[in-house]
Amino acid sequence: MSLWPWWVPIVANLSVLASSVLPLNVWTLVGCGVALIGAVIASVHHAEVVAHRVGEPLGTVVLSICVTIIEVGLISTVMLSGAPGAATLPRDTIYSVIMITCGGVIGLSLIIGAVRHREQTFNVLGSNASLATLAAMTTLALVLPTFTTSSPGPTYTASQLAFASIASVALWCGFVFVQTVRHRDYFVPEGNPADEGSHAARPSIAQTFASFGALLAALIAVVGLAHEVSPSIETAVAQANLPKSVISVSIAMLTLLPEAWAAVRAAFANRIQTSLNLSLGSALASIGLTIPAIAISSRLVGTTLVLGLAPKELVLVVLAFFVTSITLVAGRTHLMLGLVHIVVFGAFLFLSLVP
């Protein structure tokens, strides 16, 4: 049995402690970067062990929940600190997560899958259910605040925010129930539901719990290292006179690294259904869990959340959903679809830098 997945989370968390007491210089940043990459790879390994034990699609839900809980912790910490831009940070981060998953992660997965396997198939019913739920959540959380009139600006009143929070949690819980219980067969690889576990022995319960603990440790290290690196990112953004939204994009990318890596590896292994489950599931968990958490945080610090997207971001979100719906309608993927997603993702990145 390989030992590196067990000691890498320990080393990564020790790096977090060391970086918090040592002066931040080039070598410290390089060390944090190496530890961050190692923690991401280790987290994916342990998530796959857990997924192998519990089976698909519940295994992908485990990783989505773990990553999103830590994402919520990052956003809430910044909000409670009263840092500048805290009112728009949740909106920008959630928007970035949607664009990264629907554009970058899905696009890269489709391209890698097409290059290696030419065409890949997936279950249309499950993927369309994911997209429909994501579109409804996004509209409630990020689109409607731009058009409501009960409060000034792209904001919600307290009652409106409470409704959006309850609706997001209800949609997410309903989706998880359908995905893991009621219509589980819609979310497993087509043709062979046992595909994930057909070539390796099922891990024991003890090994599964150990891997789950190591997964949490690795994800905590990812967020801790990202937190240590983020001041340098903020300084670089300020010195380059870039928009503050670049910080949200960076946070979203760092948070999504484990799921993105797992999704790309699944596509490479001809498991595009698992890849789509991870991509869309991460975005669903991000909204479903983040909106109620930041609603509570905003009440604690007395901050009025700015949730409504600007026209440019609205257009990009609509484009991302439109392209994704076309991708998911046929149940088969090919190279051109992946290229379109990557171009949409490129437009998101470019306009984040040059608004």
Side-chain angles (χ1 to χ4, degrees), residues 256-333:
L256 287 172
L257 269 177
E259 289 181 305
W261 180 254
V264 170
R265 290 187 67 218
F268 184 81
N270 201 22
R271 302 196 305 267
I272 194 63
Q273 182 68 61
T274 300
S275 180
L276 291 174
N277 288 347
L278 282 164
S279 303
L280 297 174
S282 61
L284 284 168
S286 178
I287 300 178
L289 298 178
T290 301
I291 291 297
I294 63 172
I296 296 173
S297 298
S298 66
R299 297 295 293 176
L300 291 176
V301 299
T303 301
T304 300
L305 292 174
V306 179
L307 292 176
L309 292 172
K312 178 191 67 182
E313 285 74 24
L314 282 174
V315 171
L316 283 175
V317 165
V318 171
L319 176 60
F321 283 141
F322 178 71
V323 170
T324 306
S325 64
I326 294 176
T327 299
L328 300 181
V329 74
R332 301 181 71 88
T333 66

Side-chain angles (χ1 to χ4, degrees), residues 121-124 185-193 195 273 331:
T121 60
F122 58 89
N123 195 314
V124 176
D185 54 314
Y186 291 173
F187 300 89
V188 296
E190 278 202 329
N192 186 7
D195 179 71
Q273 182 68 61

